[in-house]
Amino acid sequence: MPRGISPQLVFKKTSSDFIIKKPAFNKFLFFQDIGYKPRPDQMQVHMDTSDIQVLACGTRWGKTKLAAMEALAASMSSTRPSWGWVVAPSYVLAEKVFREILFQARMRLKGLVLEASDSKMKLKICNIGKHVSEIWGKTAENPDNLLGEGLDWVIVDEAARIKQSVWESYLSQRLLDRNGW
């Protein structure tokens, strides 16, 4: 198991027993352990703790890989079952980002991948809490397909091509009950 994922043992003063606290997750050790080396400008994005980040970067900057690694880190860091979506304006664009997530998961998280489906754009992995985290690729072509789920996080690719009403009425609403980003 990568160093970025480890439970912490704590000595309980009232007895000679050890208790296990919630597993600790260090995103940067996780990245190091799985062999991901972001450039300094990409690292700034990974270090940002804002709920909403907007990237306006040039072609070949590495946004897709950065998004894939953020999705995997968010899914791995959960101590409960978790759900995240990668949403794009079209199926073709959503599939491009999701393909990178699947590639990275299959290559770097082999023993933790529980289910991976290219055709359904669905990935299930075992997170640090020993629960299942799900990552889904979604398209904004039919916003009604974005209803119903409570989410821990959403990554929107090519956000400028998605109607503002899709964000306001469909995507941001999925994040409310789970205090997502």
Side-chain angles (χ1 to χ4, degrees):
M1 181 150 310
R3 284 180 302 168
I5 308 167
S6 61
Q8 296 176 343
L9 290 177
V10 176
F11 184 71
K12 191 174 170 184
K13 292 183 180 181
T14 58
S15 104
S16 61
D17 295 332
F18 284 94
I19 60 172
I20 296 180
K21 279 177 57 175
K22 283 184 178 179
F25 184 84
N26 181 314
K27 179 167 55 172
F28 305 105
L29 278 179
F30 172 70
F31 288 163
Q32 184 180 10
D33 287 348
I34 64 174
Y36 172 55
K37 296 176 182 148
R39 295 186 320 268
D41 52 348
Q42 293 170 321
M43 185 58 84
Q44 287 180 344
V45 176
H46 288 303
M47 290 172 48
D48 191 326
T49 59
S50 304
D51 284 344
I52 296 176
Q53 297 178 14
V54 177
L55 300 182
C57 307
T59 303
R60 312 302 311 151
W61 186 83
K63 298 179 296 290
T64 300
K65 187 169 187 177
L66 183 141
M69 300 313 284
E70 278 293 313
L72 291 174
S75 296
M76 289 300 301
S77 68
S78 185
T79 57
R80 62 182 183 170
S82 73
W83 294 270
W85 285 355
V86 175
V87 180
S90 68
Y91 180 87
V92 170
L93 290 172
E95 193 269 336
K96 178 184 73 140
V97 176
F98 198 77
R99 185 177 57 232
E100 182 69 21
I101 291 170
L102 283 179
F103 173 77
Q104 296 297 332
R106 287 175 173 148
M107 186 174 75
R108 301 174 190 266
L109 302 174
K110 293 176 186 165
L112 300 172
V113 174
L114 305 173
E115 180 182 342
S117 172
D118 295 84
S119 61
K120 293 180 184 177
M121 287 198 291
K122 175 182 177 181
L123 174 66
K124 289 185 178 184
I125 58 176
C126 182
N127 63 33
I128 65 168
K130 305 285 188 223
H131 295 283
V132 176
S133 287
E134 295 186 25
I135 303 173
W136 289 81
K138 297 280 188 173
T139 174
E141 290 172 320
N142 182 359
D144 287 341
N145 290 337
L146 302 173
L147 291 173
E149 300 285 337
L151 300 173
D152 295 285
W153 56 268
V154 172
I155 294 173
V156 181
D157 189 37
E158 300 293 345
R161 296 182 184 187
I162 293 177
K163 293 178 185 174
Q164 185 174 349
S165 62
V166 171
W167 170 254
E168 292 172 351
S169 299
Y170 296 90
L171 296 176
S172 67
Q173 303 305 306
R174 308 285 71 77
L175 300 168
L176 295 176
D177 57 338
R178 297 182 65 86
N179 198 28
W181 54 267

